């Protein structure tokens, strides 16, 4: 089980990276927009910080444009996995790019069958969106669990990234469901780190240590 950070904010990435728990970063156009910087500038800076996989998403939904964008993104760093949306054009692009040796993360996966098709087309990663499925009353983790079981039993090499993670319980459930990776917002990573009893314990040890007689 690995953890990726789901953000385009380089301060968050630097902080989390210093903890030694990160294996990669995932971004999407909505996350890059929040940074108010150019797409390529952000991706290049992330690549200079993180020693792991970095997912950068194409903006186009048309095959020819996706291929062009994907090659441009992949040329920024050998750490890049190009994020391609799940669609007929996306599957064609995934197939072509993976044959060219470009890693693809198929995103916007909402069913097991979409995950299966993406894996068969050559995806390095598939990203089921757990939180967005939960939002509409469908247990998102079921897609992760079924995909993980089937991929394992057929020996698929495609890794499952549990995405759209909203809280620490999602991370635990993703691990138990067999996800290879959970990509988490920085806020969730911080929530994973903290526990009120740890904070109380640290405070008590600090206070008691002040009363230990000096030798
Ligand atoms: O990176 C894609 C995914 O994690 C988006 O999450 O919270 O916008 O559904 P969310």
């Amino acid at each position: 089980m690995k953890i990726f950070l789901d953000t385009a904010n380089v301060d968050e990435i630097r902080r989390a990276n210093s903890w030694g728990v990160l294996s990669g970063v995932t971004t999407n156009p909505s996350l890059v927009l929040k940074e108010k910087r150019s797409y390529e500038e952000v991706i290049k800076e992330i690549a200079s910080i993180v020693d792991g996989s970095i997912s950068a998403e194409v903006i186009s939904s048309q095959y020819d444009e996706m291929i062009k964008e994907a090659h441009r993104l992949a040329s920024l760093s050998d750490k890049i996995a190009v994020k391609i949306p799940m669609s007929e054009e996306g599957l064609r692009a995934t197939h072509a790019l993976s044959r060219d040796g470009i890693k693809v993360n198929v995103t916007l996966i909402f069913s097991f069958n979409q995950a299966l098709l993406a894996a068969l087309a050559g995806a390095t990663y598939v990203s089921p969106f757990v939180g967005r499925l939960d939002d509409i009353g469908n247990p998102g983790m079921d897609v992760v669990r079924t995909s993980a079981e089937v991929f394992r039993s057929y020996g698929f090499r495609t890794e499952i990234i549990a995405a759209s993670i909203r809280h620490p319980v999602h991370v635990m459930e993703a691990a138990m469901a067999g996800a290879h990776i959970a990509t988490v917002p920085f806020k969730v990573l911080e929530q994973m780190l903290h526990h009120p009893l740890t904070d109380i314990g640290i405070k008590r040890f600090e206070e008691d240590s002040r009363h230990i007689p000096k030798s």
Side-chain angles (χ1 to χ4, degrees), residues 93-108:
T94 300
H95 181 48
L97 292 166
S98 63
R99 277 193 309 192
D100 284 347
I102 293 177
K103 291 194 175 90
V104 176
N105 172 359
V106 179
T107 189
L108 291 165

Side-chain angles (χ1 to χ4, degrees), residues 28 83 107-110 127-134 140 163-164:
N28 62 41
K83 243 175 151 181
T107 189
L108 291 165
I109 296 275
F110 291 98
S127 294
F129 275 29
V130 174
R132 291 192 198 181
L133 276 168
D134 286 356
S164 187

Side-chain angles (χ1 to χ4, degrees), residues 6 26-28 31 83 107 129 131-132 163-166 183:
D6 196 27
T26 53
T27 65
N28 62 41
L31 293 171
K83 243 175 151 181
T107 189
F129 275 29
R132 291 192 198 181
S164 187
I165 293 288
R166 301 282 168 74
T183 188

Side-chain angles (χ1 to χ4, degrees), residues 90-200:
L91 282 182
R92 281 177 63 207
T94 300
H95 181 48
L97 292 166
S98 63
R99 277 193 309 192
D100 284 347
I102 293 177
K103 291 194 175 90
V104 176
N105 172 359
V106 179
T107 189
L108 291 165
I109 296 275
F110 291 98
S111 71
F112 160 73
N113 282 325
Q114 290 181 323
L116 175 64
L117 292 177
L120 291 172
T124 301
Y125 304 107
V126 291
S127 294
F129 275 29
V130 174
R132 291 192 198 181
L133 276 168
D134 286 356
D135 288 346
I136 59 159
N138 291 353
M141 212 53 78
D142 286 356
V143 178
V144 173
R145 187 173 304 102
T146 310
S147 306
E149 280 171 15
V150 174
F151 286 13
R152 199 179 313 113
S153 68
Y154 285 93
F156 285 17
R157 289 164 64 184
T158 304
E159 293 194 281
I160 298 162
I161 304 179
S164 187
I165 293 288
R166 301 282 168 74
H167 48 70
V169 176
H170 269 160
V171 181
M172 187 177 73
E173 287 173 347
M176 289 166 65
H180 301 83
I181 299 149
T183 188
V184 304
F186 186 72
K187 186 177 143 253
V188 173
L189 195 66
E190 278 187 309
Q191 289 172 326
M192 289 165 68
L193 161 70
H194 290 292
H195 194 286
L197 290 178
T198 307
D199 298 341
I200 291 167

